[in-house]
Amino acid sequence: MNASLPILEMKAVEKSFPTPTGPVRVLQPTDLEVKAGDFLAITGPSGSGKTTLLMLAALLSRPSKGAVVFDGDDVSSKDEAWLCRHRKYRVGMVFQKFCLLPHRTVLENVLFRFRYLDHDPDEARTRSLEALRAMGLESKVDQPARLLSSGEMQRVAIARAVALPPRFLVADEPTGNLDRESTLRVMDCFKRLNAEGLTMLLVTHNEELLNYCSRHLVCRGGALQKSK
Amino acid sequence: MKKRIPILHHSIAQPLQYLHDLWRDIWEGVRSQPGRTLLSFLAVAVGSVSLTVLVAVLNGLEQRSTHLVRELGFNVFAVVSSSDRRTGEALRERDVQLLQANCPECGVSKVRRYEVKPLGHDQAVGVLATDERLAAIRQWTMLQGRFLDAGDVARRERHAVITEAAAKAFRWKTGDLIALSDVRFKVVGILQSTDQGVAAGSEPALSGGRREVYIPDTIPPAWSAGSDDGDRVDVVYVRVPDAERMNRLVLRTQRLLLTRKSREAFLSWVTPETLLGNVRRLQRSIRLTAGSVTLLSLILGGTTLMSLMVANVKDRVLEIGLRRALGASRKDIAALFVTEACLVTSSAALLGIAIAHVGLLLGAESAGLPILLDWKSAAVPLLAAMLLGVLFAYWPAGMAANIAPAEALRSE
């Protein structure tokens, strides 16, 4: 892996949303570069445009203006199929609300990572169990997800995101619903994954987590600034 | 951590895995809206029962029309007399002779009908006095023995030919002596019956499937106790050489027999076309009435299904976002909801088809409906239900597919 090559570049990216009274610009012209192996944290108050930026980074939306370059490819010129394919294989996501399927077991939730992939069921199972083991959840594999604690749910979500190792992991307020102890445990997981070479983008409003990150940017009024 | 670019291998288990995943996905939706799912399931099941019955009855009528034509005989038409006791108007022996003389290319036979109670039996049997040509004209098949011959007619032999139905009902067989009222006849043959169910609904005078006894028409009818005029004829059968000449010969016989206006009231012509016409009329009215009921139930089922799918989409916005984040395309999301709808409608249809089949097998005979249960009576409702699923899930599925993943993931 060449650490100098950026995985993600945003060049003068803007994002507006249409409203009945005209478009509202949520993201001001923004430049961002995430290099391989980075653990970048973006903090900022609610409504500052952090999540919008993260959705662009996760290839879940397109910019209104500017260019998002993912692994050397300009996303703006790519079709829906390309975005789907890259989300499938290259991007992992962790959400504040965990987004687990409550009636499925822990293992089934992690196996869901492979739902839209051509996969060998045995291999998917092996990888999922391995990811759960890495998150310390090997004893919970057959438990329905709805019966887990919030911290456990978030670790299942991380296991799901990394069961098929992504090129880039984005996490949107992953500790927003967790107590302090669970927060630390989740951040330890992230730290370990980053140490193993995974590039990460973390969006949070919790400045206590910045110690875990290699870089920090602040989002204010839809614009990114370097932290003081 | 493993290598960044994973190499996943295909295996033979993949289709099974796909079906398993699909089933889990669909079950997720069904369990999220059990009440609405049950409602649309029931509405589609009722519609499918109705559609199955409709198809089975229409099939049955189609079969009946074929049987009716076969029963009458190919290239055969009948002149049926509903003799009027008050005016004494009836078809007469001289009318038959007139037809024979003027249609030399045709085979002509006649029948005079009586209802007689066989000695020792409470049930009456239809006794049909006829000539030796009838079986050949109507292309009947003998089950045993022979039909009446010219000798029987000429010598006034007390010979009788019975239908299979009569043989079964009265336990008669070839060679038996049977007493019709107080006159004894020897059974010389048994006619193969046509379908009882079909015969039951057809023109009574034409029926070959009932309990009937055919005797030479030269034997004086002792059971009519002098009230009967011996040269009355109830039905004349005319077999034309080929189907093309049917209409022309029907017109010719009409010209010959309808010499007076009053004769139009009691003479009617039964041709394969008129028989089929009656069935077609019945088919049309059934298609219209039962078809409307079926359509209404299916539309009701479809709209309930649509509201189920809309509620389902709204309930599962976050899940849709997750699926999109994991690489599902718009098509994958739309397919998920359409498949779910199809599965609900198809399983409802299967239940409806099963209920209808059992109900028809148990109750059709007592309802006197012509029913034919074949592959069409299962395939048509099943396909209709699947189509209903696709049609009514199309819009909600499109709605789900068009939810922006970023918006979906931020939904509460």
Side-chain angles (χ1 to χ4, degrees):
Chain A
M1 196 184 316
N2 190 340
S4 65
L5 280 179
I7 282 184
L8 178 78
E9 279 179 280
M10 290 189 184
K11 296 171 184 169
V13 162
E14 277 182 53
K15 182 72 182 174
S16 304
F17 291 102
T19 68
T21 53
V24 172
R25 194 156 71 172
V26 178
L27 207 59
Q28 306 296 333
T30 301
D31 293 313
L32 174 69
E33 193 177 90
V34 183
K35 286 188 177 150
D38 265 0
F39 190 166
L40 172 65
I42 297 178
T43 57
S46 298
S48 59
K50 303 188 296 291
T51 301
T52 304
L53 191 79
L54 183 125
M55 293 297 171
L56 288 167
L59 309 180
L60 284 164
S61 72
R62 291 169 188 273
S64 307
K65 277 186 187 166
V68 175
V69 181
F70 189 90
D71 249 353
D73 292 306
D74 184 356
V75 171
S76 330
S77 62
K78 303 296 180 188
D79 61 6
E80 180 67 23
W82 187 93
L83 290 178
C84 287
R85 202 167 48 249
H86 278 66
R87 284 202 297 266
K88 238 184 244 188
Y89 290 104
R90 299 190 159 203
V91 182
M93 274 203 83
V94 178
F95 314 93
Q96 182 179 0
K97 283 177 277 187
F98 322 132
C99 291
L100 297 183
L101 301 170
H103 298 289
R104 297 198 190 185
T105 65
V106 165
L107 178 61
E108 285 168 338
N109 267 281
V110 179
L111 279 169
F112 200 63
R113 176 72 185 94
F114 300 87
R115 174 65 183 86
Y116 295 100
L117 300 171
D118 283 335
H119 65 277
D120 172 23
D122 294 334
E123 189 174 345
R125 194 182 161 83
T126 308
R127 288 181 181 223
S128 300
L129 286 169
E130 198 179 299
L132 282 169
R133 205 172 299 122
M135 295 297 134
L137 290 167
E138 62 269 40
S139 60
K140 307 270 182 176
V141 287
D142 294 324
Q143 202 164 311
R146 65 179 185 279
L147 301 181
L148 298 177
S149 69
S150 303
E152 286 170 334
M153 282 187 188
Q154 193 59 292
R155 280 188 284 145
V156 173
I158 298 169
R160 180 180 60 198
V162 299
L164 182 72
R167 184 105 172 86
F168 185 40
L169 182 74
V170 292
D172 184 14
E173 303 275 15
T175 58
N177 286 337
L178 303 185
D179 57 30
R180 190 177 159 73
E181 193 186 335
S182 303
T183 297
L184 296 179
R185 197 149 186 193
V186 165
M187 289 311 294
D188 284 339
C189 293
F190 283 145
K191 186 75 188 165
R192 198 174 61 244
L193 290 168
N194 180 243
E196 286 169 357
L198 184 61
T199 309
M200 294 190 57
L201 172 60
L202 170 73
V203 161
T204 180
H205 58 263
N206 185 351
E207 302 216 344
E208 279 184 47
L209 309 181
L210 299 178
N211 294 335
Y212 290 90
C213 307
S214 56
R215 273 206 305 148
H216 174 215
L217 294 172
V218 180
C219 194
R220 267 200 199 93
L224 275 183
Q225 300 162 2
K226 283 192 178 161
S227 61
K228 289 166 190 170
Chain B
M1 272 290 145
K2 288 204 169 191
K3 281 190 294 181
R4 284 294 158 85
I5 306 297
I7 300 162
L8 294 175
H9 304 288
H10 293 261
S11 82
I12 195 126
Q14 217 168 298
L16 287 176
Q17 183 64 35
Y18 173 78
L19 288 176
H20 174 259
D21 289 346
L22 190 67
W23 169 248
R24 290 305 307 261
D25 290 350
I26 288 167
W27 182 238
E28 212 80 48
V30 169
R31 74 186 304 166
S32 76
Q33 296 282 343
R36 279 177 208 249
T37 306
L38 186 69
L39 265 182
S40 39
F41 185 90
L42 287 178
V44 176
V46 169
S48 300
V49 168
S50 168
L51 187 58
T52 309
V53 173
L54 178 67
V55 173
V57 170
L58 290 176
N59 276 347
L61 284 172
E62 194 63 43
Q63 192 192 40
R64 169 176 281 189
S65 64
T66 315
H67 278 264
L68 282 175
V69 173
R70 200 161 64 201
E71 199 173 293
L72 179 63
F74 291 107
N75 297 338
V76 174
F77 69 89
V79 185
V80 181
S81 162
S82 49
S83 52
D84 189 335
R85 298 266 177 210
R86 286 180 296 115
T87 59
E89 287 273 27
L91 262 180
R92 300 288 168 187
E93 194 63 49
R94 62 178 174 274
D95 293 316
V96 179
Q97 286 160 8
L98 188 70
L99 292 181
Q100 280 166 339
N102 285 280
C103 306
E105 69 273 45
C106 302
V108 179
S109 179
K110 80 272 187 185
V111 158
R112 190 164 58 244
R113 187 183 179 94
Y114 306 95
E115 288 291 319
V116 181
K117 271 191 185 169
L119 208 62
H121 294 278
D122 290 335
Q123 287 176 305
V125 67
V127 175
L128 293 107
T130 186
D131 54 36
E132 72 282 5
R133 290 181 296 271
L134 184 68
I137 285 174
R138 299 192 66 186
Q139 302 131 55
W140 282 341
T141 310
M142 297 303 297
L143 192 69
Q144 280 176 26
R146 62 171 178 85
F147 196 70
L148 303 171
D149 60 19
D152 293 327
V153 178
R155 291 192 297 274
R156 298 183 176 183
E157 294 280 5
R158 292 185 188 276
H159 285 171
V161 174
I162 59 174
T163 58
E164 195 181 341
K168 277 183 187 155
F170 299 104
R171 294 185 181 171
W172 291 334
K173 54 187 186 300
T174 313
D176 280 0
L177 281 177
I178 60 174
L180 299 174
S181 189
D182 54 352
V183 186
R184 289 189 178 276
F185 288 85
K186 185 183 177 187
V187 177
V188 295
I190 300 174
L191 277 171
Q192 196 171 52
S193 285
T194 50
D195 189 328
Q196 282 294 298
V198 173
S202 62
E203 171 65 60
L206 306 178
S207 170
R210 295 180 167 200
R211 296 162 187 176
E212 286 167 344
V213 178
Y214 293 85
I215 59 165
D217 64 349
T218 46
I219 295 172
W223 43 79
S224 61
S227 66
D228 183 77
D229 42 348
D231 74 339
R232 171 177 65 86
V233 171
D234 288 317
V235 189
V236 177
Y237 293 96
V238 181
R239 185 173 187 192
V240 301
D242 52 69
E244 284 77 41
R245 278 192 269 180
M246 174 73 77
N247 287 344
R248 199 148 38 89
L249 284 159
V250 167
L251 284 173
R252 196 193 295 174
T253 55
Q254 284 174 337
R255 270 199 305 274
L256 288 167
L257 297 179
L258 297 175
T259 48
R260 294 188 305 277
K261 185 84 180 158
S262 59
R263 295 200 109 194
E264 286 177 15
F266 71 91
L267 287 183
S268 58
W269 271 254
V270 178
T271 65
E273 212 168 285
T274 57
L275 284 176
L276 291 179
N278 291 338
V279 176
R280 298 276 180 266
R281 268 193 296 281
L282 192 58
Q283 276 180 322
R284 267 197 299 278
S285 55
I286 288 176
R287 206 174 283 148
L288 199 71
T289 49
S292 311
V293 174
T294 305
L295 193 68
L296 276 177
S297 332
L298 288 177
I299 287 176
L300 180 71
T303 45
T304 322
L305 180 80
M306 193 187 266
S307 88
L308 162 76
M309 297 316 289
V310 170
N312 226 335
V313 169
K314 286 187 173 167
D315 270 9
R316 295 167 71 187
V317 171
L318 195 62
E319 185 195 317
I320 292 167
L322 171 68
R323 287 173 187 273
R324 294 301 304 276
L326 294 179
S329 63
R330 285 200 177 98
K331 222 185 276 177
D332 290 327
I333 300 295
L336 171 70
F337 286 94
V338 170
T339 315
E340 186 180 315
C342 276
L343 199 81
V344 170
T345 54
S346 310
S347 37
L350 286 176
L351 178 73
I353 291 164
I355 291 173
H357 274 68
V358 171
L360 287 173
L361 286 172
L362 295 177
E365 204 170 319
S366 56
L369 286 168
I371 296 292
L372 176 63
L373 292 170
D374 60 0
W375 67 270
K376 273 189 277 180
S377 58
V380 171
L382 186 62
L383 286 176
M386 287 169 88
L387 188 69
L388 190 85
V390 174
L391 281 181
F392 284 88
Y394 188 79
W395 177 67
M399 199 170 89
N402 286 324
I403 295 174
E407 296 298 312
L409 287 166
R410 293 166 93 166
S411 72
E412 288 304 319

